[in-house]
């Protein structure tokens, strides 16, 4: 995929997770529409599970627990209400978003364990990039010291997941100032802010390798 929000698969690979990529930023509403279509197809067994790597234009999203007062600058960027869990978050260039469409009917139907596995995936990804990520008691996502570097927000439809995770590779961290990110007063950081010598391609390679470690074998097809 190169900028399109259409998630099409010419040659399905049953029992494998398809990896998809959009090189150009994808509008948020188009991404949600594409995920919903993909989830519907997964539910009827037409196509395999998928992980979709992309970036969004600068925007804010409000999860199901978002409080109005946590939107500090409502005119700064477009704001999208979404059915994913969580509160306000920022998406924009330099942040890798990974939308995860997995059938939890075949993975235990345990939402808490699934979110824990997503955190494991992000921690393992950071380890491959030389960064020690960790959980914080009572919070969802991954932190480096006191600063949050990765967020998680998912939704389930008949036990198929969509939405997913975001990893701050090299976004403009000042853009987070328009919200209370995830309802937290903790600072936000990125790989670049930590001085990590990486780029989106290396981050993607780490995400894919770590995903196989946590969730199992993925498709042999390259991201596209």
């Amino acid at each position: 995929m190169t900028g399109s929000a259409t998630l099409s698969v010419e040659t399905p690979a049953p029992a494998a997770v398809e990896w998809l990529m959009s090189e150009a930023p994808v509008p948020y509403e188009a991404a949600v529409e594409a995920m919903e279509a993909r989830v519907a197809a997964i539910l009827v067994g037409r196509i395999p599970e998928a992980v979709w790597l992309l970036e969004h234009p600068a925007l804010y999203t409000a999860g199901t627990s978002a409080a109005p007062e946590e939107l500090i600058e409502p005119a700064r960027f477009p704001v999208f209400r979404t059915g994913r869990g969580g509160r306000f978050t920022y998406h924009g260039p330099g942040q890798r978003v990974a939308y995860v469409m997995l059938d939890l009917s075949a993975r235990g139907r345990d939402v808490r364990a699934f979110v824990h596995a997503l955190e494991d995936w992000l921690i393992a990804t950071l380890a491959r990039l030389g960064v020690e990520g960790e959980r914080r008691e009572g919070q969802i996502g991954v932190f480096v010291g006191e600063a949050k570097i990765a967020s998680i927000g998912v939704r389930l439809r008949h036990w198929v997941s969509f939405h997913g995770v975001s990893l701050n590779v090299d976004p403009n961290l000042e853009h987070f100032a328009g919200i209370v990110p995830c309802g937290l007063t903790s600072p936000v950081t990125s790989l670049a802010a930590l001085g990590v010598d990486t780029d989106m391609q290396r981050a993607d390679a780490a995400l894919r390798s770590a995903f196989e470690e946590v969730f199992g074998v993925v498709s042999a097809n390259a991201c596209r």
Side-chain angles (χ1 to χ4, degrees):
M1 296 175 64
T2 56
S4 169
T6 301
L7 300 181
S8 61
V9 180
E10 296 179 0
T11 308
V17 177
E18 186 93 15
W19 281 69
L20 307 167
M21 178 182 290
S22 292
E23 295 179 2
V26 178
Y28 188 76
E29 291 174 313
V32 172
E33 181 180 351
M35 280 192 287
E36 290 180 341
R38 179 86 189 204
V39 167
I42 292 170
L43 278 168
V44 297
R46 286 179 43 224
I47 52 179
E49 301 170 303
V51 176
W52 183 15
L53 302 177
L54 57 94
E55 293 173 87
H56 285 303
L59 56 91
Y60 297 131
T61 66
T64 55
S65 301
E69 62 271 19
E70 294 169 354
L71 180 59
I72 299 170
E73 298 182 37
R76 187 169 192 171
F77 297 124
V79 180
F80 295 91
R81 300 283 168 178
T82 178
R84 62 156 177 82
R87 297 165 89 163
F88 278 102
T89 193
Y90 165 78
H91 293 312
Q95 181 190 73
R96 175 52 85 213
V97 174
Y99 286 136
V100 182
M101 291 157 277
L102 299 180
D103 186 356
L104 299 193
S105 292
R107 299 173 183 272
R109 290 195 174 190
D110 187 329
V111 178
R112 183 171 296 182
F114 177 55
V115 172
H116 195 278
L118 292 174
E119 290 174 334
D120 284 342
W121 175 31
L122 291 165
I123 290 169
T125 296
L126 290 170
R128 283 161 168 75
L129 299 169
V131 175
E132 184 177 354
E134 59 187 12
R135 296 179 176 84
R136 284 185 60 181
E137 185 68 28
Q139 304 295 338
I140 295 175
V142 175
F143 295 76
V144 178
E146 294 299 314
K148 193 167 190 178
I149 195 169
S151 297
I152 296 171
V154 295
R155 184 177 181 182
L156 299 181
R157 180 167 295 162
H158 302 295
W159 292 105
V160 176
S161 69
F162 58 121
H163 297 281
V165 308
S166 59
L167 174 64
N168 295 332
V169 178
D170 189 14
N172 185 337
L173 295 179
E174 199 274 330
H175 288 173
F176 285 89
I179 57 172
V180 179
C182 303
L184 302 176
T185 57
S186 307
V188 178
T189 193
S190 67
L191 292 170
L194 293 170
V196 178
D197 182 16
T198 192
D199 54 26
M200 201 66 78
Q201 185 175 5
R202 292 175 186 169
D204 288 346
L207 280 164
R208 183 161 179 159
S209 173
F211 185 92
E212 184 166 351
E213 174 186 316
V214 174
F215 289 99
V217 178
V218 301
S219 170
N221 296 335
C223 294
R224 63 180 187 275

